[in-house]
Amino acid sequence: MQLFLDTAEIDEIAGRARAGLVDGVTTNPSLIAKSGADVFDRVAAICAAVSGPVSAEVVATDVEGMLREGRRLREIADNVVIKLPLTGPGLEACRSFADEGVATNVTLCFSLNQAMLAAKAGATFVSPFVGRVEDAGGDGIGLLRDIRAHYDRHGFETRILAASLRNPGHVEAAALVGCDAATLPPKTFDEMIRHPLTDTGLEAFLADWEKTGRGGLA
Ligand code: E4P
């Protein structure tokens, strides 16, 4: 499963990307607004830091506006993926971009019906929002499982990008269900690294080594 960072902050991307951990980045209007940066400048900087897909979202709500904004975003770099909301106009814009060979990420997906329509509209990625489904009392991981089963049964190539993941358990569940990618905030990325037994194990190894008085290896 590919791992994407869900952030618009460059300093949250660079180190993790250098370690080869980041397959792509997703942004949304809330994240860009929070950064205070110009959207085009910020997306360009992210694309320079990461070679994989970088989702940049339109803010227009009509088809023409989405196509105009999407084309402008695509001029930034070849790895820009146009993020479109799962609305009627969003699906229509998705189909136009798909026919032009432009990669899309259809976002704010909360049901199997919506995922079915995103696939029919030719979406490259669909983003089901696991955490927000759970916030509303639903089964977010169950939704991922249902979409996986449906896409496999009918041969849809749209990639499932699990989104709104709030903890490492969500990431593991998305992987086990067979999602193609998952996008997670930097905090969750770091939580994936940590395990209490790694900490205590390392502490014991280093304490034993310290007793030898031999210092570092090089
Ligand atoms: C994904 O594309 C979204 O930007 C993100 O995952 C939303 O997460 P949230 O529900 O925690 O805001």
Side-chain angles (χ1 to χ4, degrees):
M1 183 173 74
Q2 288 192 305
L3 293 180
F4 296 171
L5 259 177
D6 194 32
T7 182
E9 301 302 328
I10 297 294
D11 59 358
E12 292 180 334
I13 298 170
R16 297 176 179 92
R18 272 198 302 276
L21 304 177
V22 182
D23 297 306
V25 172
T26 54
T27 65
N28 63 40
S30 302
L31 293 170
I32 297 280
K34 193 171 144 209
S35 77
D38 171 79
V39 59
F40 298 103
D41 291 347
R42 185 49 60 93
V43 172
I46 296 172
C47 288
V50 174
S51 57
V54 173
S55 291
E57 188 162 345
V58 300
V59 293
T61 54
D62 63 304
V63 179
E64 281 314 310
M66 289 178 184
L67 292 176
R68 194 173 53 248
E69 290 181 1
R71 291 199 176 103
R72 175 72 187 84
L73 289 166
R74 274 290 294 180
E75 286 169 6
I76 298 172
D78 288 343
N79 53 332
V80 168
V81 172
I82 306 306
K83 207 172 177 192
L84 300 158
L86 211 159
T87 60
L91 292 174
E92 201 177 322
C94 178
R95 172 44 64 195
S96 290
F97 281 128
D99 290 345
E100 292 171 18
V102 171
T104 54
N105 173 0
V106 175
T107 189
L108 290 165
C109 173
F110 292 91
S111 72
L112 177 57
N113 280 334
Q114 289 183 315
M116 217 183 297
L117 295 172
K120 287 178 73 65
T124 311
F125 294 97
V126 67
S127 290
F129 274 37
V130 172
R132 295 194 197 187
V133 167
E134 291 182 356
D135 290 345
D139 178 1
I141 301 301
L143 173 61
L144 298 179
R145 192 177 295 114
D146 290 348
I147 297 171
R148 179 77 282 157
H150 176 75
Y151 282 8
D152 288 350
R153 183 169 307 142
H154 297 283
F156 285 119
E157 289 179 5
T158 296
R159 298 165 66 76
I160 304 172
L161 168 48
S164 187
L165 302 180
R166 306 268 172 78
N167 56 60
H170 276 160
V171 184
E172 289 186 349
L176 288 172
V177 158
C179 288
D180 301 286
T183 188
L184 32 146
K187 179 174 162 286
T188 309
F189 234 93
D190 292 347
E191 286 168 356
M192 286 174 71
I193 297 172
R194 286 196 296 273
H195 194 287
L197 293 179
T198 304
D199 295 341
T200 53
L202 181 60
E203 213 173 284
F205 286 158
L206 294 182
D208 287 343
W209 185 254
E210 179 77 24
K211 284 178 214 152
T212 70
R214 288 190 224 163
L217 302 185

